Amino acid sequence: MTATALPLPRRAVLVDALVGQRSLVKDLLLVAAGITVVAALAQVEIPMWPVPITGQTLGVMLVAASLGFRRGVAAMVGYLVLGVAGLPIFAGFTGGILAVGKPSFGFIIGFIATAAVVGWLAERRWDRRPLLAIALFGLASLIPFAFGVPYMAAVLAAMGSPVGVVGALELGVLPFILGGVVKWAIAAALLPAAWALVRRADRSAR
């Protein structure tokens, strides 16, 4: 009998359907895999100043929806801590304590909140149906900006380049709208499709 044929827990997310019964070792490996996915997508980058366009947000959404609340948050906290500790896992294969002083670091902080929201709602099946998935990942696309834009403005002001509210929006939001919509659409398409495959495999295994 396959993992998908087993009864799933009430708050099951995608990885629960794929790997079967949970254990501490499995959870740790899944968190490590989540960090790896976000680190890999961080290197998909369009250089811009003061904040580059990267695939990180897409990685955060996919990881959090797949892992759920606790494991998703743990993956994003691990990503931040390991990057600040010096592993070259941030965009452009960068890392280290100096990353905290970069204008883009607020977005990385925002990834933790994004993972919390996405993981919590995924546990309530928002990632399984197309319309709910559109709402889920649309909301998830906005959360990093709530942290990243004020942080960016504060860092630029500390560097002697204050931009004001309008300038912060022009630098930290407008250039990312198109890319954000694309990542939103990818996530909203992938998760319901993955769940459809899981349900099909489950029916075939019965």
Side-chain angles (χ1 to χ4, degrees):
M1 184 175 288
T2 64
T4 56
L6 297 173
L8 293 176
R10 183 164 173 260
R11 299 299 187 194
V13 288
L14 185 60
V15 296
D16 295 319
L18 298 177
V19 304
Q21 186 174 1
R22 293 183 61 169
S23 70
L24 178 60
V25 172
K26 283 183 181 179
D27 284 349
L28 291 175
L29 290 174
L30 288 168
V31 167
I35 294 171
T36 302
V37 168
V38 176
L41 286 175
Q43 312 317 320
V44 180
E45 179 182 7
I46 300 175
M48 292 182 62
W49 188 91
V51 179
I53 297 176
T54 74
Q56 283 172 301
T57 307
L58 175 60
V60 173
M61 292 191 291
L62 295 178
V63 166
S66 299
L67 298 186
F69 178 81
R70 291 184 179 180
R71 291 171 297 194
V73 170
M76 292 309 100
V77 171
Y79 177 71
L80 184 153
V81 170
L82 291 174
V84 170
L87 290 185
I89 56 177
F90 295 154
F93 294 102
T94 59
I97 191 63
L98 294 180
V100 176
K102 291 184 177 181
S104 59
F105 191 74
F107 289 90
I108 297 175
I109 296 173
F111 293 158
I112 298 173
T114 304
V117 172
V118 172
W120 192 85
L121 291 174
E123 290 177 354
R124 284 147 184 82
R125 304 189 175 194
W126 280 51
D127 62 328
R128 304 191 189 193
R129 298 181 181 276
L131 289 180
L132 283 176
I134 289 171
L136 168 59
F137 295 114
L139 173 62
S141 299
L142 299 176
I143 295 172
F145 292 103
F147 293 81
V149 174
Y151 194 99
M152 179 198 71
V155 170
L156 292 177
M159 295 169 60
S161 302
V163 293
V165 175
V166 174
L169 294 175
E170 290 177 345
L171 291 173
V173 177
L174 295 182
F176 305 99
I177 291 176
L178 178 58
V181 170
V182 171
K183 288 180 275 190
W184 171 14
I186 291 172
L190 282 180
L191 265 297
W195 273 111
L197 290 174
V198 167
R199 289 191 291 268
R200 186 180 304 171
D202 184 49
R203 287 194 297 268
S204 299
R206 292 183 186 278

